[in-house]
Amino acid sequence: MKIEIVTIGDELLIGQVVDTNSAWMGQKLNEAGFEVSRINSVSDTEDEILNILTETSSRADVVLITGGLGPTKDDITKVTMCKFFNTELVFSEEVFEDVKSLLKRYVPNINELNRAQALVPANCTVIRNPVGTAPVMWFDHEGTIFVSMPGVPSEMKHTMEYNIIPRLLERFKIGSIVHKTVLVHNIPEAVLAEMLEDFEETIPEYIKLAYLPAPGRIRLRFTGRGSDKAMLESKIEELVLGLQPIIGDNILAYDDVSTTEVIAKLFTDNKLTLASAESCTGGNIAHMITSLSGSSVYFRGSVVAYHNEVKQQVLGVKEEDLLENGAVSQPVVEQMAEGAKKIMGTDYAVSTSGIAGPDGGTDEKPVGTVWIAVSGPNKTVSQKFQFGNIRERNIIRSSEMAMVMLKNMVDKDLR
Amino acid sequence: MKIEIVTIGDELLIGQVVDTNSAWMGQKLNEAGFEVSRINSVSDTEDEILNILTETSSRADVVLITGGLGPTKDDITKVTMCKFFNTELVFSEEVFEDVKSLLKRYVPNINELNRAQALVPANCTVIRNPVGTAPVMWFDHEGTIFVSMPGVPSEMKHTMEYNIIPRLLERFKIGSIVHKTVLVHNIPEAVLAEMLEDFEETIPEYIKLAYLPAPGRIRLRFTGRGSDKAMLESKIEELVLGLQPIIGDNILAYDDVSTTEVIAKLFTDNKLTLASAESCTGGNIAHMITSLSGSSVYFRGSVVAYHNEVKQQVLGVKEEDLLENGAVSQPVVEQMAEGAKKIMGTDYAVSTSGIAGPDGGTDEKPVGTVWIAVSGPNKTVSQKFQFGNIRERNIIRSSEMAMVMLKNMVDKDLR
């Protein structure tokens, strides 16, 4: 069976908004055993919407549509769907009750536009949307299911999880799909591919291996499809075990997890505490860590020491070392980590100091030069890296590498 | 003329990777006056690639393809394109030289996989790619231009900016497109739409108004199309001026800028300095600020005080206030801002303390309760907010609202 996603909105085509909905939907559908065969982003004009409805109706069994359902005039999806399905809008008392009860917390008076949100195509099944004012509409049309959802991510996510995926599972009997991802760091893609050349010959037809590179790491993803889930799982498990002797310590995790999740588990399981002192990463390490709930168990805080005086006065970096070596240097980055560990009273601390760019580079320390330190109960280690010219990428790579260095030290300390 | 974007890769369809390339391409093409009519994400199987090539060749004048060009076995785009164009792969000495010179910085030996990257379809024009090993291929095929680019964002961006867009501009004469975005905060979409109902009647046919909601703010985007660029600009300027009496102080900026960019300009222009003290935002405010280059001019640093002891010992929050009122309280958040301002020696500081969720809420302080304070040269103000249940959203909304409160105080102080 084929599922297509259609996201509607000019803002996607002119790049004012990144389509994160499709990726989220793809992931959840996939976990449930469904396969998305295509993602289409189209303009919110009647012609384009009608075209994509016609095309997908001939290609797909299920078409999941997001966007174009808000209360404002640029949202024409609902009217266009009526045209496509040859039906008309009718007022739904039930939807209007939902809109009213949701809005009374925020706005004193319900207006005409809110009232219009309770208009729905006569031929659809309305799925109630408890987290937003736009209704979710389910259409059964000549063998294809069309579901129209709001584009607001939190509303789409809620309805997908609680309504759409359960209904699809009820409707379709599907084969199994098994994914397993291995997280590898610090090996370039072509080198890794060469290392795995013989290994890849041993992968059976029904299992696929994909290389997904990201700054500083590569995710190796195995995907198996078939009717026998247990067999797929055990075969993939066997393949994953076969990677260990080839890749060794460069395997960071055996899950599709972020480096931050690896750290979170390590610190929580071992009841350790962590702090950070950040210059070039500017708070990104703290932000990555605290984006995960439960981080307060092990993470005590961070000093973002952007200005040198903050490095001195808050973290206790020695003035002479700043003057002699500059902020981007081994003594400074090590004192930053040690200072953070001390003032926050933690077991470990990581620190970064570098030139994120695009300006600020010199011949001696070009843009992308980054010092990273980790200080633990036994010692402080530091390393210099030469990343590239792109600020955003340098911030991410520095943060990732700090986590990898931290993991290596904790692993050794625990041995 | 119609441009379509095709992004290739299973990782997009199963949601392991968010397609940020398309948004970036859409934005740059738009700035150059081109319009993207559709974005298609397809699986990296021969069938799917052949299908989308066939479909787009009948719909579009230009098809921009990214992904599926890496050195590993899961990348089959090049072979499939040969099949579609009925041609074969030939070895390009020129591309091989580029690959070698790029790789010698990173890897000691060029391997067979790298060598294979120099194979290109015989009928294409090769565009050299100085920032990566995958060549860029330009095909003129039965009235449609196909360009195949690597999926690595930095490589795609480089070739789009320096090669593809200039070539397209040379090839096509196009009409003008003018965009203008007004950033509005703190008015719900339906309320804003009602406020603008009469105003919208005055907008001419050739100008379109779109509402783009994001947590805590809405971007109003005017888009004008036509042959007379100056006329479009002046008409849109007139419309934007007409918004001021209706929306007033809730207009945060007259550009498609982030709240952070508004703050950056305000602080840099007025030679002011800033610090932050973050609990529930966990470093996100510092991260947002330092993501922009040039931020070191006004931003001195942040204390991410996740643990209460850090609030006390680094920021000087009084123990009795923590005990009496809890960390999520007015006295604590105000002392955090004042503490940050003091230890970093800045003109202003913002602080946040709240329950980001999903756990940690109580009857009295449910998840989403957030206190935000701003401390300036004259006073400290604070406000309590009740956001929702989603951690990620609460972190963003708190950060955004802290910036808005900061902007309001600085604006008043400067009057």
Side-chain angles (χ1 to χ4, degrees):
Chain A
M1 71 155 288
K2 287 194 166 186
I3 299 184
E4 292 202 29
I5 295 173
V6 174
T7 55
I8 298 175
D10 281 351
E11 66 276 16
L12 301 168
L13 298 173
I14 72 163
Q16 205 159 14
V17 168
V18 173
D19 175 19
T20 54
N21 279 353
S22 295
W24 189 92
M25 290 164 79
Q27 200 182 335
K28 293 293 163 183
L29 287 164
N30 210 266
E31 284 165 12
F34 295 105
E35 227 175 302
V36 173
S37 60
R38 201 185 282 192
I39 299 167
N40 315 266
S41 300
V42 302
S43 172
D44 40 24
T45 59
E46 189 181 286
D47 279 356
E48 291 292 335
I49 296 173
L50 287 175
N51 282 344
I52 197 71
L53 291 174
T54 308
E55 289 170 32
T56 52
S57 72
S58 72
R59 284 196 306 247
D61 303 291
V62 177
V63 182
L64 301 173
I65 304 160
T66 72
L69 291 182
T72 58
K73 291 190 177 171
D74 58 319
D75 292 330
I76 64 157
T77 305
K78 227 157 47 175
V79 178
T80 309
M81 298 207 81
C82 282
K83 197 158 179 177
F84 180 73
F85 294 122
N86 199 16
T87 185
E88 54 179 11
L89 287 175
V90 293
F91 184 80
S92 160
E93 209 46 71
E94 194 189 58
V95 173
F96 191 52
E97 285 308 312
D98 285 346
V99 171
K100 279 197 292 190
S101 81
L102 190 90
L103 282 181
K104 70 176 181 221
R105 281 171 57 194
Y106 304 105
V107 283
N109 298 306
I110 303 297
N111 68 24
E112 272 311 304
L113 286 173
N114 294 133
R115 217 184 138 77
Q117 296 206 272
L119 291 170
V120 293
N123 71 330
C124 78
T125 307
V126 173
I127 295 172
R128 298 173 78 165
N129 172 8
V131 296
T133 56
V136 175
M137 296 167 290
W138 174 290
F139 303 85
D140 249 306
H141 180 74
E142 296 172 3
T144 302
I145 293 168
F146 291 84
V147 183
S148 169
M149 290 171 275
V152 179
S154 55
E155 297 182 25
M156 177 281 291
K157 288 177 185 178
H158 190 279
T159 201
M160 277 295 291
E161 217 152 13
Y162 293 98
N163 300 303
I164 310 307
I165 290 177
R167 276 165 199 250
L168 292 176
L169 283 170
E170 223 170 81
R171 185 75 158 259
F172 297 93
K173 299 225 172 296
I174 42 172
S176 287
I177 182 163
V178 175
H179 290 297
K180 176 85 187 172
T181 300
V182 177
L183 194 62
V184 179
H185 74 91
N186 239 0
I187 307 181
E189 189 179 0
V191 176
L192 184 61
E194 203 179 25
M195 289 164 71
L196 296 182
E197 204 161 1
D198 293 341
F199 171 83
E200 288 200 42
E201 297 299 325
T202 70
I203 301 175
E205 191 84 337
Y206 55 89
I207 294 176
K208 223 177 140 180
L209 176 64
Y211 290 68
L212 308 173
R217 66 212 147 92
I218 293 170
R219 287 179 291 177
L220 290 175
R221 189 194 63 220
F222 295 92
T223 304
R225 287 176 204 285
S227 53
D228 186 347
K229 192 172 180 189
M231 185 277 286
L232 289 173
E233 281 173 342
S234 91
K235 184 65 203 170
I236 288 180
E237 200 48 51
E238 189 191 313
L239 288 167
V240 167
L241 282 177
L243 287 176
Q244 171 59 36
I246 309 171
I247 310 179
D249 277 357
N250 290 83
I251 294 178
L252 202 65
Y254 289 95
D255 268 310
D256 188 12
V257 290
S258 63
T259 325
T260 322
E261 285 167 308
V262 175
I263 292 296
K265 186 164 168 26
L266 189 62
F267 273 73
T268 309
D269 287 355
N270 294 289
K271 295 192 172 37
L272 298 168
T273 55
L274 177 65
S276 64
E278 310 185 44
S279 185
C280 68
T281 50
N284 189 48
I285 293 176
H287 170 56
M288 282 167 66
I289 289 171
T290 59
S291 289
L292 299 179
S293 69
S295 47
S296 59
V297 170
Y298 72 93
F299 186 67
R300 299 188 69 141
S302 176
V303 173
V304 180
Y306 228 52
H307 197 283
N308 279 349
E309 275 176 30
V310 179
K311 293 186 183 78
Q312 273 178 249
Q313 283 159 22
V314 183
L315 291 171
V317 174
K318 288 185 204 135
E319 191 176 7
E320 62 261 35
D321 283 316
L322 277 163
L323 290 174
E324 218 169 282
N325 310 289
V328 181
S329 65
Q330 183 160 30
V332 170
V333 80
E334 291 194 353
Q335 287 168 42
M336 285 173 67
E338 286 160 1
K341 196 177 71 176
K342 192 173 153 203
I343 64 169
M344 310 242 190
T346 55
D347 302 311
Y348 290 86
V350 290
S351 64
T352 59
S353 184
I355 298 146
D359 310 313
T362 61
D363 282 352
E364 204 195 336
K365 294 175 185 173
V367 166
T369 308
V370 177
W371 274 97
I372 301 176
V374 182
S375 185
N378 306 317
K379 62 177 174 181
T380 301
V381 300
S382 60
Q383 201 178 330
K384 186 183 168 184
F385 297 88
Q386 186 60 53
F387 299 131
N389 295 315
I390 301 159
R391 184 179 183 84
E392 185 196 342
R393 221 174 139 94
N394 287 338
I395 292 173
I396 296 173
R397 288 193 70 170
S398 304
S399 307
E400 286 287 337
M401 195 43 80
M403 305 271 193
V404 170
M405 283 175 62
L406 176 63
K407 176 180 185 288
N408 289 345
M409 182 184 278
V410 177
D411 277 348
K412 268 184 206 143
D413 288 349
L414 291 174
R415 255 171 222 163
Chain B
M1 72 157 288
K2 287 195 166 186
I3 299 185
E4 292 202 27
I5 294 173
V6 174
T7 54
I8 298 175
D10 281 350
E11 66 277 16
L12 302 167
L13 298 173
I14 72 163
Q16 206 159 14
V17 167
V18 173
D19 175 18
T20 54
N21 279 354
S22 295
W24 189 92
M25 290 164 80
Q27 202 181 336
K28 293 294 163 184
L29 287 163
N30 211 265
E31 284 166 12
F34 295 106
E35 228 175 300
V36 173
S37 61
R38 202 185 281 192
I39 299 167
N40 315 267
S41 300
V42 302
S43 172
D44 39 23
T45 58
E46 189 180 283
D47 279 357
E48 292 292 335
I49 297 173
L50 287 175
N51 282 345
I52 197 72
L53 292 175
T54 308
E55 288 170 33
T56 51
S57 72
S58 72
R59 285 195 305 246
D61 303 292
V62 177
V63 182
L64 301 173
I65 304 161
T66 72
L69 292 182
T72 57
K73 294 194 176 169
D74 57 316
D75 293 331
I76 63 156
T77 305
K78 229 158 43 174
V79 177
T80 309
M81 297 205 83
C82 281
K83 197 156 180 179
F84 180 73
F85 293 122
N86 199 16
T87 185
E88 53 178 13
L89 288 175
V90 292
F91 184 78
S92 161
E93 208 46 72
E94 195 189 60
V95 173
F96 191 51
E97 284 308 311
D98 286 347
V99 171
K100 279 197 290 192
S101 81
L102 190 92
L103 281 182
K104 70 176 182 224
R105 282 171 57 193
Y106 303 106
V107 281
N109 299 305
I110 304 295
N111 66 27
E112 272 309 305
L113 286 173
N114 294 132
R115 215 182 140 77
Q117 297 205 275
L119 291 170
V120 292
N123 71 330
C124 79
T125 308
V126 173
I127 295 173
R128 296 173 77 168
N129 171 9
V131 297
T133 56
V136 175
M137 297 166 289
W138 174 290
F139 304 84
D140 248 307
H141 179 76
E142 297 173 3
T144 301
I145 292 168
F146 291 84
V147 183
S148 169
M149 289 171 276
V152 179
S154 55
E155 298 183 26
M156 178 281 292
K157 289 178 185 177
H158 190 279
T159 200
M160 277 295 291
E161 218 152 11
Y162 293 97
N163 300 303
I164 310 307
I165 290 177
R167 277 165 198 250
L168 292 176
L169 283 170
E170 224 170 82
R171 185 75 159 258
F172 297 93
K173 298 223 173 293
I174 42 172
S176 288
I177 182 162
V178 175
H179 290 297
K180 176 84 187 171
T181 301
V182 177
L183 194 62
V184 179
H185 73 91
N186 237 1
I187 306 181
E189 188 179 2
V191 175
L192 184 60
E194 201 178 28
M195 289 164 72
L196 296 182
E197 203 162 5
D198 292 343
F199 171 83
E200 290 200 43
E201 296 299 324
T202 70
I203 301 175
E205 192 83 338
Y206 55 90
I207 294 176
K208 223 177 141 181
L209 176 64
Y211 290 68
L212 308 173
R217 67 211 147 92
I218 293 170
R219 287 180 291 176
L220 291 174
R221 189 195 63 221
F222 294 92
T223 304
R225 287 177 205 285
S227 55
D228 185 346
K229 192 174 181 188
M231 186 277 286
L232 289 173
E233 281 173 344
S234 91
K235 185 64 203 170
I236 289 180
E237 200 47 51
E238 190 191 312
L239 288 167
V240 167
L241 283 176
L243 287 176
Q244 172 59 39
I246 308 171
I247 310 179
D249 277 357
N250 290 84
I251 295 178
L252 202 65
Y254 289 96
D255 270 310
D256 188 12
V257 291
S258 63
T259 325
T260 322
E261 285 167 306
V262 175
I263 292 297
K265 186 163 167 25
L266 189 62
F267 274 72
T268 309
D269 287 356
N270 293 288
K271 296 191 172 33
L272 298 168
T273 55
L274 177 64
S276 64
E278 309 185 44
S279 185
C280 68
T281 50
N284 189 48
I285 293 176
H287 170 57
M288 283 167 66
I289 289 171
T290 59
S291 291
L292 299 179
S293 69
S295 47
S296 59
V297 170
Y298 71 94
F299 185 67
R300 299 188 69 141
S302 177
V303 173
V304 181
Y306 227 54
H307 198 282
N308 280 348
E309 273 176 31
V310 178
K311 294 186 182 78
Q312 273 178 250
Q313 281 159 22
V314 183
L315 291 170
V317 173
K318 289 186 203 134
E319 190 176 6
E320 63 261 34
D321 283 317
L322 276 165
L323 290 173
E324 216 169 284
N325 309 290
V328 181
S329 66
Q330 183 159 29
V332 169
V333 80
E334 292 195 354
Q335 287 169 42
M336 285 172 67
E338 287 161 1
K341 196 178 71 177
K342 192 173 155 204
I343 64 169
M344 311 245 186
T346 56
D347 301 313
Y348 291 87
V350 290
S351 64
T352 59
S353 184
I355 298 145
D359 311 312
T362 62
D363 280 352
E364 203 195 336
K365 295 176 185 173
V367 167
T369 308
V370 177
W371 274 96
I372 301 177
V374 182
S375 184
N378 305 317
K379 62 176 173 181
T380 301
V381 300
S382 59
Q383 201 178 328
K384 184 182 167 185
F385 296 89
Q386 186 60 52
F387 299 132
N389 295 316
I390 301 160
R391 184 179 184 85
E392 183 196 344
R393 221 174 139 93
N394 288 338
I395 292 173
I396 296 172
R397 289 195 70 170
S398 304
S399 307
E400 287 286 337
M401 196 42 81
M403 306 272 194
V404 170
M405 284 175 61
L406 175 64
K407 177 181 184 288
N408 289 344
M409 183 185 277
V410 177
D411 276 349
K412 269 184 205 143
D413 288 349
L414 291 174
R415 256 172 220 160

